[in-house]
Amino acid sequence: MIKREDFDQVMVPNYAPSHVIPVKGQGSLLWDQTGKEYVDFGGGIAVNSLGHAHPSLQKALADQAQQLWHVSNLYTNEAALKLAKLLTAKTFADRVFFCNSGAEANEAALKLARKYGRDQYNEKKTQIIAFENGFHGRTLFTVSVGGQPKYSKDFAPLPTDITHLPFNNIKTLEDAISDETCAVILEPIQGEGGVNNADPEFLKAARKLCDKHGALLIFDEVQTGVGRTGTLYAYQQSGVTPDILTSAKGLGGGFPIGAMLTTSAIAASLSVGTHGTTYGGNLLACAVASTVIEIVDQPATYANVAARRQQMEQSLQQINEKYKCFTNFTGKGLLLGAQLAESWHGKASEIWKAAVNEGVMILVAGPNVLRFAPALNIPEHIVSKGMESLERAIESV
Ligand SMILES: *Cc1c(COP(=O)(O)O)cnc(C)c1O
């Protein structure tokens, strides 16, 4: 039998997984090797947007698997074009580039912004403005653009002309942006960096300043996208439309896929041969993702997102009354951050471990924030069950 100890024998030690090995999932429940049951409030880090083993996703995958899996980009394919039509019909975008992950979607966005700056303006238009505590992936370019130096410093020399500014600070953005800026990249809600909401005024100011200086506004919606905040993409509630949007995580509901969305005018800079990836547009990934979008983008899903958000906040508030562990709740929809009170600072991962023992899987976002990103269709009674387990975990800590 495979054991957790095997991990330490055969895997690169860049992760420190739990001792629990899940073997089966159904909806928002998971079971480990011993048959113990867990409520899944993490959703594989905001990935399993419709829970585990959703029958429509199983069918989409199985049907496509019978037909054709992969053809490369020497050929186009029906599954990729169907998904691209869905995404462009439902967003500001006219064009889509498919890849396999969030990092790759952002890599494409950043490369496109640099190239577009050169094509439309001049060689000097290369500055990328990003924000402290932002997270954009782990390729060398995206990790350098991310605003957590601990993730990039050991890999220097890093790509240059990247400026990091405090999030939600209009003044410092005003001061830093210039005609040499090719892009401003941000998450509408910083996920990994602590579940920090962008102020609506900050987004509006970023849009204005980008327009003034001919810079592209990139929204990294890898975590906030695909219904998580109560609309298909978070920008649709903000009144601010980006020039480029990146999507991944929830897009495949558990099957790896990423996408970069943009307008025709901007997309034109990625002309034939300028960028690519072998698996981009893979038929299995695209068939599943189209089904995810069709199911997620329905009023019933968004109603559940709103109702479960309210329920989770209420339960956490009740826990808070007993243990005084939280200061406030951040995020939107089913991306929920519970900010730990000062006396609980540093305890997020201890709570995570205790929660697993009590039968509920949560996420953290740094040492001081519990993060919840359950399936968008998680039922009320499963939320109640998970919250009871979480309360026991917090009591034990
Ligand atoms: C997870 C995440 C990424 C990276 O996605 P990968 O699929 O891990 O490469 C990028 N941006 C945001 C906002 C994310 O949450």
Side-chain angles (χ1 to χ4, degrees):
M1 176 157 119
I2 300 283
K3 293 202 207 63
R4 169 62 181 82
E5 292 74 56
D6 293 321
F7 180 95
D8 302 323
Q9 300 302 316
V10 294
M11 298 294 282
V12 168
N14 61 317
Y15 304 115
S18 162
H19 61 283
V20 167
I21 300 186
V23 294
K24 188 177 158 62
Q26 182 68 62
S28 284
L29 294 175
L30 277 168
W31 292 272
D32 72 10
Q33 290 173 316
T34 70
K36 182 172 165 183
E37 186 178 279
Y38 301 85
V39 170
D40 187 2
F41 281 164
I45 317 191
V47 164
N48 301 305
S49 34
L50 295 170
H52 301 278
H54 192 288
S56 303
L57 301 189
Q58 287 180 328
K59 183 171 187 311
L61 183 61
D63 286 353
Q64 187 60 53
Q66 304 280 328
Q67 294 297 322
L68 185 65
W69 291 23
H70 177 80
V71 292
S72 86
N73 286 298
L74 297 172
Y75 308 91
T76 189
N77 72 74
E78 294 175 354
L81 297 184
K82 181 181 168 194
L83 176 58
K85 282 187 182 203
L86 266 178
L87 289 169
T88 53
K90 289 174 181 293
T91 65
F92 74 96
D94 319 305
R95 303 296 174 110
V96 183
F97 168 80
F98 288 123
C99 50
N100 315 291
S101 67
E104 269 186 286
N106 287 324
E107 185 85 18
L110 295 164
K111 284 178 70 178
L112 171 56
R114 284 263 173 93
K115 181 140 190 320
Y116 181 80
R118 256 200 186 72
D119 291 352
Q120 298 291 321
Y121 298 89
N122 56 59
E123 292 279 317
K124 283 188 169 169
K125 199 171 179 66
T126 54
Q127 185 199 31
I128 290 163
I129 293 180
F131 297 95
E132 291 164 9
N133 296 314
F135 185 82
H136 303 296
R138 299 292 198 129
T139 64
L140 195 60
F141 197 1
T142 57
V143 85
S144 305
V145 169
Q148 299 187 64
K150 66 174 179 191
Y151 290 143
S152 58
K153 65 178 177 31
D154 292 343
F155 304 102
L158 304 175
T160 55
D161 209 10
I162 300 164
T163 305
H164 294 100
L165 302 176
F167 194 52
N168 279 334
N169 188 317
I170 296 174
K171 180 72 175 65
T172 51
L173 178 58
E174 246 166 21
D175 291 345
I177 198 169
S178 76
D179 291 348
E180 296 187 358
T181 308
C182 70
V184 173
I185 182 168
L186 59 87
E187 299 155 83
I189 301 168
Q190 290 185 329
E192 309 295 313
V195 194
N196 310 314
N197 297 39
D199 295 338
E201 292 316 307
F202 179 67
L203 295 180
K204 289 198 181 91
R207 179 68 277 174
K208 258 203 186 137
L209 289 166
C210 283
D211 290 342
K212 182 175 166 199
H213 293 284
L216 299 180
L217 182 60
I218 304 171
F219 277 8
D220 177 349
E221 292 229 32
V222 168
Q223 191 153 162
T224 55
V226 194
R228 182 140 302 275
T229 69
T231 44
L232 188 60
Y233 288 97
Y235 87 86
Q236 291 163 324
Q237 294 170 63
S238 72
V240 173
T241 302
D243 300 298
I244 302 179
L245 180 151
T246 55
S247 188
K249 289 204 166 89
L251 182 57
F255 202 98
I257 182 170
M260 178 194 70
L261 281 61
T262 190
T263 64
S264 314
I266 297 166
S269 276
L270 285 189
S271 51
V272 173
T274 53
H275 190 59
T277 176
T278 300
Y279 284 122
N282 173 276
L283 285 93
L284 298 172
C286 291
V288 174
S290 285
T291 311
V292 169
I293 297 282
E294 281 164 355
I295 297 172
V296 164
D297 197 32
Q298 298 289 340
T301 310
Y302 300 133
N304 194 61
V305 168
R308 297 294 75 76
R309 166 74 189 210
Q310 212 181 6
Q311 184 191 358
M312 291 183 93
E313 265 199 44
Q314 264 167 11
S315 301
L316 290 167
Q317 196 54 54
Q318 279 164 11
I319 294 174
N320 199 30
E321 275 157 27
K322 277 195 206 161
Y323 302 98
K324 306 273 178 269
C325 42
F326 307 122
T327 54
N328 61 313
F329 305 111
T330 57
K332 219 178 242 171
L334 289 178
L335 177 56
L336 195 167
Q339 309 285 329
L340 291 176
E342 207 158 306
S343 55
W344 288 73
H345 271 192
K347 291 210 158 77
S349 81
E350 204 180 322
I351 297 172
W352 168 69
K353 279 184 195 143
V356 172
N357 289 335
E358 293 297 341
V360 58
M361 291 168 171
I362 62 168
L363 302 169
V364 304
N368 306 327
V369 185
L370 306 186
R371 179 172 38 145
F372 302 83
L376 308 181
N377 59 358
I378 188 170
E380 183 175 1
H381 70 279
I382 303 285
V383 169
S384 306
K385 191 175 152 82
M387 284 295 171
E388 283 165 22
S389 304
L390 182 67
E391 175 163 358
R392 288 196 304 275
I394 286 175
E395 189 181 4
S396 78
V397 170

